[in-house]
Amino acid sequence: FDPRHYLGTHCYGWPKTGPHRLRFLLESVKDLRETLKKKGSTLVVRRGKPEDVVCDLITQLGSVTAVVFHEEVREIL
């Protein structure tokens, strides 16, 4: 979870993620973790800036051969 997603937007100051969306995200992550656990897998969840968290995870795991990501699309007004 990137803490920047819970700050105000740069245009209007509204939170990017309000309480209802946050509750949905948390419930979805919990459900995904439980589903993966039933299939013998797991889900790593971290809080922090992705550019820091991913680097730390790679260092901890030590055997990472590839990292895949997507960049958030930003609308230009």
Side-chain angles (χ1 to χ4, degrees):
F1 289 95
D2 187 340
R4 295 172 290 195
H5 286 223
Y6 309 98
L7 302 174
T9 60
H10 68 313
C11 292
Y12 303 104
W14 296 100
K16 292 180 181 182
T17 304
H20 299 292
R21 180 179 285 182
L22 178 59
R23 183 176 334 126
F24 173 78
L25 287 171
L26 293 173
E27 289 172 357
S28 298
V29 168
K30 181 181 177 184
D31 182 65
L32 177 59
R33 176 179 270 158
E34 290 170 359
T35 300
L36 289 170
K37 189 175 181 179
K38 289 176 187 174
K39 296 181 180 287
S41 190
T42 189
L43 178 67
V44 175
V45 179
R46 296 287 187 268
R47 181 183 181 278
K49 294 179 181 179
E51 57 270 26
D52 299 330
V53 172
V54 171
C55 185
D56 292 343
L57 283 172
I58 291 169
T59 302
Q60 286 177 345
L61 296 172
S63 62
V64 176
T65 57
V67 176
V68 179
F69 66 94
H70 80 281
E71 184 175 350
E72 180 179 355
V73 176
R74 297 180 185 208
E75 184 177 333
I76 299 174
L77 300 175

